Amino acid sequence: MEIALEISGTVKQILENYANPETTDAVTVEDWQIVFQAAQLGQLQGYTAVQIEAQRWFASGQIELAKNEHANAFTAFTKAQEFMPSSALPFYALGNTYFAKQQYQDALKSYQKALQIDPKLSMAYKKLGDTQRLLEREKEAIRAYKNAIQFGYKTPETRFWLGTLMLETKQIEEAIQELEAVAGFRFSQSRLNEN
């Protein structure tokens, strides 16, 4: 029982990290394997049977996506949708799968569906911005990146692309602010690495 509680705590922390815009990118394939194995073995305490199945399928999809097994990832995320129909995350994950396959129109639809369910899902705005940028829709990409930042996804990459697109669309002052923020982050990171 103690081991199951410990595993459940680890899984809960992984899921919270994934949902947090500041730590979502730090969730690894190994983390998803922990979630999958715990769900597979029924070691999750405090979760309903439906939630366990949802986590099992969602984690499976993340693992398959990391291996570039797109067909398996599609299947897993579609199953996860069945178990969590009111969650934006399976739609976001499907969008990531389409994005990985360079099917940008389908990715766009999946990210938009995720944002219909959760209008504050910052990581979906970030990927929506990436998709719009690749489709050469600068204004839409800028709007998406701004929303990503507003809702907490403030990574240097997000700010870099926002600044770059603002330069391209002649929004010079705002572009300089974003790019200076990126440069400041890079400088502080390099100083930390020196110490």
Side-chain angles (χ1 to χ4, degrees), residues 12 21 34 68 186:
K12 183 179 183 206
I34 290 168
N68 290 319
R186 298 275 187 227

Side-chain angles (χ1 to χ4, degrees), residues 47-98:
Y47 290 85
T48 66
V50 170
Q51 289 170 325
I52 291 170
E53 274 302 288
Q55 297 310 329
R56 184 172 73 87
W57 283 109
F58 191 77
S60 172
Q62 295 289 0
I63 294 164
E64 295 299 326
L65 181 56
K67 295 190 299 188
N68 290 319
E69 296 290 341
H70 299 123
N72 294 340
F74 281 120
T75 300
F77 292 135
T78 302
K79 288 298 278 184
Q81 282 177 348
E82 292 174 24
F83 288 99
M84 9 191 235
S86 61
S87 174
L89 293 178
F91 292 99
Y92 168 71
L94 273 174
N96 289 343
T97 308
Y98 285 121

Side-chain angles (χ1 to χ4, degrees), residues 3 10 12 26 31 37 55 65 114 133 140 188-189 194:
I3 292 172
T10 300
K12 183 179 183 206
D31 291 330
Q37 289 170 350
Q55 297 310 329
L65 181 56
R133 176 176 49 82
E140 292 90 343
S188 66
Q189 287 297 97
E194 288 174 6

Side-chain angles (χ1 to χ4, degrees), residues 34-181:
I34 290 168
V35 174
F36 178 78
Q37 289 170 350
Q40 186 79 1
L41 298 172
Q43 295 176 320
L44 296 177
Q45 301 296 311
Y47 290 85
T48 66
V50 170
Q51 289 170 325
I52 291 170
E53 274 302 288
Q55 297 310 329
R56 184 172 73 87
W57 283 109
F58 191 77
S60 172
Q62 295 289 0
I63 294 164
E64 295 299 326
L65 181 56
K67 295 190 299 188
N68 290 319
E69 296 290 341
H70 299 123
N72 294 340
F74 281 120
T75 300
F77 292 135
T78 302
K79 288 298 278 184
Q81 282 177 348
E82 292 174 24
F83 288 99
M84 9 191 235
S86 61
S87 174
L89 293 178
F91 292 99
Y92 168 71
L94 273 174
N96 289 343
T97 308
Y98 285 121
F99 189 90
K101 289 191 65 159
Q102 300 180 346
Q103 295 176 339
Y104 300 126
Q105 291 296 338
D106 292 322
L108 201 63
K109 290 175 190 169
S110 292
Y111 296 136
Q112 290 168 335
K113 178 66 177 169
L115 290 166
Q116 285 174 355
I117 295 169
D118 183 355
K120 294 182 179 181
L121 187 62
S122 60
M123 54 195 182
Y125 280 114
K126 196 287 189 181
K127 291 299 282 193
L128 181 65
D130 292 343
T131 306
Q132 297 284 25
R133 176 176 49 82
L134 292 170
L135 292 171
E136 298 182 359
R137 298 175 183 168
E138 290 85 4
K139 289 179 184 175
E140 292 90 343
I142 288 170
R143 193 172 322 118
Y145 287 137
K146 283 183 175 181
N147 284 328
I149 291 167
Q150 176 187 345
F151 294 117
Y153 203 92
K154 301 174 183 181
T155 65
E157 179 188 11
T158 306
R159 297 191 98 128
F160 170 80
W161 285 116
L162 175 58
T164 300
L165 291 172
M166 288 177 150
L167 278 177
E168 290 176 12
T169 58
K170 309 293 188 237
Q171 299 172 52
I172 306 301
E173 287 183 33
E174 287 179 280
I176 290 170
Q177 288 176 342
E178 291 302 326
L179 295 172
E180 282 178 344

Side-chain angles (χ1 to χ4, degrees), residues 1-14 34 38 43-45:
M1 184 69 164
E2 221 172 281
I3 292 172
L5 285 173
E6 187 178 322
I7 291 170
S8 294
T10 300
V11 167
K12 183 179 183 206
Q13 187 61 55
I14 291 167
I34 290 168
Q43 295 176 320
L44 296 177
Q45 301 296 311

